[in-house]
């Protein structure tokens, strides 16, 4: 490709509404242009990146035995009503009505459609296993679209769906996809982690997220540098504390703590470690016209993990934070000084695993400006109704596999593999006939990659003050030839055309910048766009039989003999 035949449109400044670096650089580099809130046009430079992402995804999905198809963006509501997601999904599902008054949706995902295809086309166990995938436009009506392609409303996604005869087969299909995803993300050339993820209401342990590591990532990832353990913070657990519980050494004492309504303030006032305090969190569950109030106890330096709390028996059907009236009715005190001793009304108490083994701890006295010190289980209050892991892990916690300490990194989710079981096949009565001629529900899995989100994640991980730094595999162009004074020097023009032809013949995805730009402007464009390999041709260099090569990460250019440039670039590409 020659720049004069392509479309290069860079900006010196990013629009004011571009909040994060990937959004800013994608706009400045001319990869995308905004059409509406969360809706973008993929410009020629950006589309080349997306097509390279799609090519890698397609090659590895095909290699793993998946079969490509395409499902409609606009889907009949009847299918979504079968699974009840038409009503349950909420306002993110864009609902439309045609001229005949029939309801449709603009797909955010395609479980219903693919399950309908399976129940029509897959009749026998002999047709299984089967995996279908598509690379298709999706739409989610985000309430607050932001961050460019990172949280847009319209986006491109690869979604795949596996169908198996039993759980063993489904788990094998899941593992095949998990390995395919590792090959895909390895080929992208990004630093990433595959982390265990929460399976939500479906349950089970087969769920992994693929997170591109970036300081600006939305998700926190806990991992053990000394082992393979990694999980997102919603699912991550520390090693269970070892018992036995320590013996009581302090007397129960009601202690004045004026103006100290937080654990941190109490610890500072009393001159004790924050880890000796216990915070009280009050939840409620509703069943018909009746409500049950719950008290959760966590160590003062820990934060509640709502995903884990939602798995506690009794709270697993849904919970809410208690109202002020409910709190005062049970504790006789407004929030800020709550605790499990001296309650006005009974409630259910759930202690975090750490709190259940604590001795001589501090909690609220259920009276303003007072706390109780020296609290001990058994002596001062009954054992809790339940003990569970309720908290987010912290850096330095012991890994649950016992092989080291946890560290925390930030990540951007760009892929997810997920075992679905019979959630959709049961809702849509999608069955096949087994060896005995009996109908059985399909066991399903789903597997997604955010095709248009991935370039934004790559930029968040790979950039500097001058612009983007693309990995070779997904760069819009792998190399750029920058001739200085090509319009004024026949020698420069001839050398540029020859090198350009040599690169093309060698299979290098190269662009020749024949626009006649000044060197400073030309270099600034390609540094902003992030092309990894740059070769500069000048009359002075040609006079000495040399060209200048510079990788986008190199601090300075390297002089290379004209005859050796192609081999040098290909050698750097192989690194």
């Amino acid at each position: 490709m020659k720049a004069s035949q392509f479309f290069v449109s860079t900006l010196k400044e990013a629009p004011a509404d571009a909040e994060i670096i990937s959004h800013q650089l994608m706009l400045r580099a001319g990869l995308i242009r905004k059409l509406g809130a969360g809706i973008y046009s993929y410009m020629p430079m950006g589309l080349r990146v997306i097509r390279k992402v799609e090519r890698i995804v397609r090659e590895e999905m095909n290699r793993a035995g998946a079969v490509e198809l395409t499902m409609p963006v606009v889907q009949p509501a009847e299918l979504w009503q079968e699974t009840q997601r038409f009503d349950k999904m909420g306002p993110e599902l864009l609902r439309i009505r045609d001229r005949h008054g029939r309801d449709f949706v603009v797909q955010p995902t395609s479980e219903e459609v693919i399950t309908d295809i399976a129940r029509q086309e897959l009749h026998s166990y002999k047709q299984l296993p089967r995996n279908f995938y598509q690379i298709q436009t999706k739409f989610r009506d985000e309430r607050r679209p932001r961050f460019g392609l990172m949280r847009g409303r319209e986006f491109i996604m690869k979604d795949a769906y596996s169908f198996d005869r039993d759980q063993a087969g489904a788990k094998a299909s899941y593992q095949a996809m998990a390995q395919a995803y590792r090959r895909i993300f390895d080929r992208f050339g990004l630093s990433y982690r595959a982390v265990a993820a929460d399976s939500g209401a479906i349950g089970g342990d087969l769920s992994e997220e693929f997170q591109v590591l970036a300081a600006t990532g939305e998700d926190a990832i806990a991992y053990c540098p000394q082992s393979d353990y990694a999980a997102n913070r919603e699912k991550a657990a520390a090693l269970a504390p070892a018992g036995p519980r320590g013996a009581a050494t302090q007397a129960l004492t009601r202690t004045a703590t004026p103006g100290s309504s937080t654990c941190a303030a109490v610890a500072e006032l009393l001159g004790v470690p924050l880890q000796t305090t216990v915070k009280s969190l009050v939840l409620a569950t509703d069943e018909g016209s009746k409500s049950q109030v719950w008290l959760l106890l966590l160590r003062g330096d820990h934060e509640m993990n709502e995903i884990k709390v939602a798995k506690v028996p009794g709270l697993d059907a849904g919970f809410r934070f208690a109202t002020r009236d409910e709190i005062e009715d049970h504790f006789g005190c407004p929030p800020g000084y709550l605790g499990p001793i001296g309650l006005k009304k009974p409630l259910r108490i759930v202690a975090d695993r750490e709190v259940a083994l604590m001795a001589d701890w501090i909690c609220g006295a259920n009276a303003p400006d007072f706390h109780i010190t020296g609290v001990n289980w058994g002596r001062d209050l009954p054992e809790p109704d339940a003990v569970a892991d309720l908290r987010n892990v912290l850096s330095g916690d012991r890994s649950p596999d016992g092989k080291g300490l946890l560290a925390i990194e930030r990540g951007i989710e760009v892929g997810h593999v997920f075992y679905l079981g019979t959630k959709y096949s049961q809702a849509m009565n999608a069955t096949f006939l087994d060896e005995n001629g009996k109908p059985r529900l399909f066991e399903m899995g789903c597997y997604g990659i955010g095709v248009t989100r991935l370039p934004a994640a790559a930029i968040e991980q790979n950039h500097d003050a001058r612009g983007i730094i693309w990995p070779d595999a997904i760069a819009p162009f792998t190399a750029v030839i920058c001739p200085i004074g090509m319009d004024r020097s026949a020698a420069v023009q001839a050398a540029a055309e020859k090198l350009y032809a040599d690169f093309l013949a060698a299979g290098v995805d190269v662009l020749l910048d024949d626009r006649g730009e000044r060197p400073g402007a030309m270099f600034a464009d390609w540094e902003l766009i992030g092309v990894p390999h740059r070769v500069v041709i000048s009359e002075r260099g040609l006079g000495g039989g040399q060209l200048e090569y510079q990788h986008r990460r190199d601090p300075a250019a390297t002089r290379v003999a004209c005859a050796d440039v192609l081999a040098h670039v290909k050698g750097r590409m192989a690194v």
Side-chain angles (χ1 to χ4, degrees):
M1 181 64 67
K2 294 184 178 180
S4 60
Q5 300 169 329
F6 197 60
F7 185 76
V8 181
S9 178
T10 58
L11 303 173
K12 289 185 177 180
E13 302 290 338
D17 63 346
E19 300 173 81
I20 61 173
I21 194 67
S22 60
H23 192 191
Q24 296 167 5
L25 290 177
M26 292 186 94
L27 289 168
R28 288 189 58 210
L31 305 180
I32 59 174
R33 288 292 181 259
K34 182 177 179 179
L35 180 63
I39 303 175
Y40 293 85
S41 297
Y42 308 125
M43 302 301 286
M45 195 72 72
L47 186 60
R48 287 184 66 88
V49 176
I50 291 168
R51 291 290 181 253
K52 289 188 175 184
V53 171
E54 291 177 346
R55 178 177 59 81
I56 291 172
V57 169
R58 187 170 276 117
E59 288 175 358
E60 293 299 337
M61 291 300 295
N62 293 345
R63 177 182 169 188
V67 180
E68 186 172 8
L69 48 64
T70 299
M71 291 173 277
V73 174
V74 177
Q75 303 175 353
E78 287 89 340
L79 294 177
W80 287 72
Q81 288 164 345
E82 284 189 60
T83 62
Q84 300 183 357
R85 290 209 297 174
F86 185 76
D87 297 314
K88 287 182 178 180
M89 192 158 184
E92 284 190 1
L93 180 65
L94 183 61
R95 299 162 178 83
I96 57 177
R97 187 166 287 174
D98 69 6
R99 67 178 67 193
H100 303 292
R102 294 175 296 208
D103 289 320
F104 290 82
V105 305
V106 179
Q107 66 144 352
T109 181
S110 283
E111 283 83 359
E112 282 81 2
V113 174
I114 198 67
T115 305
D116 183 59
I117 290 173
R119 69 183 174 183
Q120 294 186 57
E121 301 292 336
L122 304 178
H123 306 297
S124 168
Y125 71 96
K126 295 179 181 179
Q127 295 173 276
L128 303 176
R130 186 66 63 188
N131 190 325
F132 297 109
Y133 79 96
Q134 67 171 348
I135 298 175
Q136 177 64 292
T137 299
K138 307 286 193 295
F139 190 92
R140 292 179 185 167
D141 198 3
E142 294 272 359
R143 180 178 182 178
R144 188 176 168 229
R146 54 200 172 114
F147 304 155
L149 299 190
M150 197 70 76
R151 192 177 288 279
R153 292 198 292 169
E154 182 181 286
F155 54 95
I156 298 172
M157 183 176 174
K158 188 285 298 178
D159 46 326
Y161 307 91
S162 61
F163 295 85
D164 284 274
R165 56 185 295 180
D166 53 28
Q167 287 190 6
K171 290 180 179 179
S173 293
Y174 174 94
Q175 293 300 336
M177 282 292 98
Q179 291 306 312
Y181 270 44
R182 284 166 171 80
R183 293 194 297 269
I184 289 169
F185 286 100
D186 285 343
R187 288 182 62 182
F188 286 152
L190 301 174
S191 179
Y192 75 94
R193 288 190 183 276
V195 303
D198 185 73
S199 297
I202 295 171
D205 294 324
L206 290 180
S207 179
E208 288 176 277
E209 293 172 352
F210 289 77
Q211 298 266 358
V212 169
L213 303 181
T216 53
E218 297 176 295
D219 300 321
I221 304 164
Y223 70 99
C224 178
Q226 289 77 39
S227 73
D228 294 331
Y229 178 79
N232 68 22
R233 206 167 191 180
E234 292 178 342
K235 186 178 178 67
L239 187 68
R245 181 191 296 155
T249 62
Q250 298 177 15
L252 189 71
T253 306
R254 190 171 187 267
T255 304
T257 52
S260 300
S261 60
T262 67
C263 288
V266 170
E268 183 178 2
L269 177 69
L270 301 182
V272 298
L274 182 58
Q275 293 87 335
T276 64
T277 65
V278 169
K279 65 175 65 172
S280 296
L281 302 172
V282 189
L283 306 180
T285 54
D286 299 311
E287 187 174 344
S289 60
K290 295 183 178 181
S291 296
Q292 170 69 56
V293 174
W294 299 68
L295 174 61
L296 273 54
L297 299 176
L298 282 80
R299 211 170 71 183
D301 59 330
H302 290 161
E303 296 297 328
M304 183 181 84
N305 182 312
E306 292 195 23
I307 300 297
K308 294 180 180 179
V309 171
K311 295 181 179 180
V312 174
L315 295 169
D316 50 358
F319 64 86
R320 58 178 171 80
F321 285 95
T323 66
R324 188 180 183 90
D325 286 344
E326 287 172 327
I327 291 172
E328 292 187 354
D329 191 37
H330 285 75
F331 293 86
C333 177
Y337 298 90
L338 305 181
I341 296 177
L343 298 170
K344 288 183 64 178
K345 285 187 176 180
L347 42 66
R348 293 186 61 79
I349 297 178
V350 183
D352 181 70
R353 297 184 305 182
E354 302 279 349
V355 174
L357 290 180
M358 287 174 65
D360 298 332
W361 39 280
I362 301 168
C363 65
N366 294 325
D369 296 328
F370 282 91
H371 279 74
I372 299 176
T373 62
V375 180
N376 285 272
W377 295 105
R379 186 192 71 180
D380 306 314
L381 76 167
E383 296 292 337
D385 296 297
V387 175
D389 180 11
L390 304 176
R391 69 178 181 92
N392 289 327
V393 297
L394 298 174
S395 180
D397 282 336
R398 294 185 64 191
S399 176
D401 58 16
K403 295 182 179 180
L405 302 182
L406 294 178
I408 306 291
E409 285 189 283
R410 306 299 302 182
I412 301 167
E413 183 187 348
V414 290
H416 202 156
V417 291
F418 201 102
Y419 168 58
L420 290 172
T422 59
K423 176 181 174 69
Y424 291 93
S425 57
Q426 185 170 34
M428 299 181 68
N429 194 28
T431 64
F432 64 95
L433 297 180
D434 65 13
E435 300 96 320
N436 301 314
K438 294 182 179 181
R440 294 179 59 181
L441 296 170
F442 293 106
E443 291 280 343
M444 294 175 58
C446 67
Y447 318 94
I449 289 178
V451 171
T452 45
R453 193 175 212 231
L454 193 133
I459 293 170
E460 291 292 333
Q461 185 181 93
N462 299 278
H463 67 271
D464 61 15
R466 293 173 291 168
I468 303 166
I469 307 174
W470 289 110
D472 284 7
I474 57 175
F477 294 95
T478 308
V480 60
I481 299 170
C482 295
I484 297 176
M486 182 176 175
D487 54 338
R488 303 186 302 274
S489 170
V492 170
Q493 182 174 0
E497 293 285 359
K498 181 181 183 307
L499 186 61
Y500 175 60
D502 289 345
F503 272 45
L504 289 177
V508 177
D509 184 20
V510 64
L511 181 138
L512 172 61
D513 192 343
D514 60 345
R515 297 176 297 167
E517 292 280 356
R518 293 177 294 103
M522 181 166 49
F523 297 163
D525 272 350
W526 299 114
E527 288 174 344
L528 173 61
I529 293 168
V531 174
H533 306 274
R534 185 180 76 194
V535 178
V536 177
I537 303 174
S538 66
E539 277 194 328
R540 179 182 296 180
L542 289 174
Q546 294 181 324
L547 306 181
E548 288 188 353
Y549 166 81
Q550 187 170 1
H551 188 276
R552 181 63 180 79
R553 293 190 184 276
D554 291 347
T558 301
R559 293 186 179 276
V560 181
C562 294
D564 299 334
V565 167
L566 176 57
H568 185 83
V569 171
K570 293 197 75 172
R572 288 297 300 270
M573 288 170 58
V575 174

